[in-house]
Amino acid sequence: GIDMVHVPYKGGGQAVIDLLGGQIQMMFSGFSSTLQHIKAGKLRPLAVTGARRSPVLPDIPNIAESGFPGFAATAWHGVFVPAGTPRAVVDKLHGAIVRALTDPDAKEKLTALGFEIVGSSPAEFSAFISAELKQWGPVVKASGATAD
């Protein structure tokens, strides 16, 4: 069998250093901290955690394909504003963000880092967050994890 120990890190950078140095044997990480090392042949990806293969590494299977059907877990980024922010401000900010995300130069750079750009509407993002809370809330609660 395999003995697994969870090693908490405050960020991906130190974890990558420890993985490259052999202090740890594997990690779950986003592409932004590992892709350069994967492309240099210093790290070997085993699987991606999304529901489908990544366009950045299309030859790497996802975890569902690797024997865990239905598994999908992704990291995501979003922009939040305080509750009660006027709708006009939200719409203006959303428009500016979508324009930035669809700028060809920005899109190319983000995609090269492994990001899949969504730029959904505020309503769609809110629904996405609700689904994430429904899926992962019980997992976090069962784990006993707390925010310190």
Side-chain angles (χ1 to χ4, degrees):
I2 297 175
D3 291 329
M4 292 187 70
V5 176
H6 175 258
V7 180
Y9 286 91
K10 290 187 177 184
Q14 185 61 51
V16 170
I17 291 168
D18 285 356
L19 183 61
L20 290 167
Q23 285 79 23
I24 59 175
Q25 286 70 47
M26 69 170 281
M27 69 181 280
F28 284 83
S29 177
F31 285 140
S32 61
S33 60
T34 58
L35 194 56
Q36 67 181 355
H37 302 294
I38 292 169
K39 289 184 175 184
K42 295 178 181 178
L43 293 178
R44 182 170 61 109
L46 301 177
V48 296
T49 60
R52 59 187 182 282
R53 290 183 181 212
S54 169
V56 176
L57 297 173
D59 295 336
I60 306 303
N62 65 18
I63 290 182
E65 292 176 290
S66 301
F68 298 92
F71 184 98
T74 57
W76 51 267
H77 301 274
V79 177
F80 296 84
V81 295
T85 299
R87 185 72 193 173
V89 173
V90 171
D91 290 343
K92 186 173 184 177
L93 183 58
H94 175 258
I97 292 167
V98 169
R99 279 191 303 281
L101 290 174
T102 57
D103 173 77
D105 187 46
K107 189 173 184 177
E108 180 183 336
K109 287 177 181 173
L110 289 169
T111 302
L113 290 172
F115 290 98
E116 292 183 44
I117 299 167
V118 176
S120 60
S121 72
E124 290 168 326
F125 187 43
S126 182
F128 171 78
I129 292 168
S130 293
E132 288 285 280
L133 289 170
K134 184 177 180 182
Q135 178 180 355
W136 295 108
V139 175
V140 172
K141 190 171 189 166
S143 76
T146 60
D148 295 337

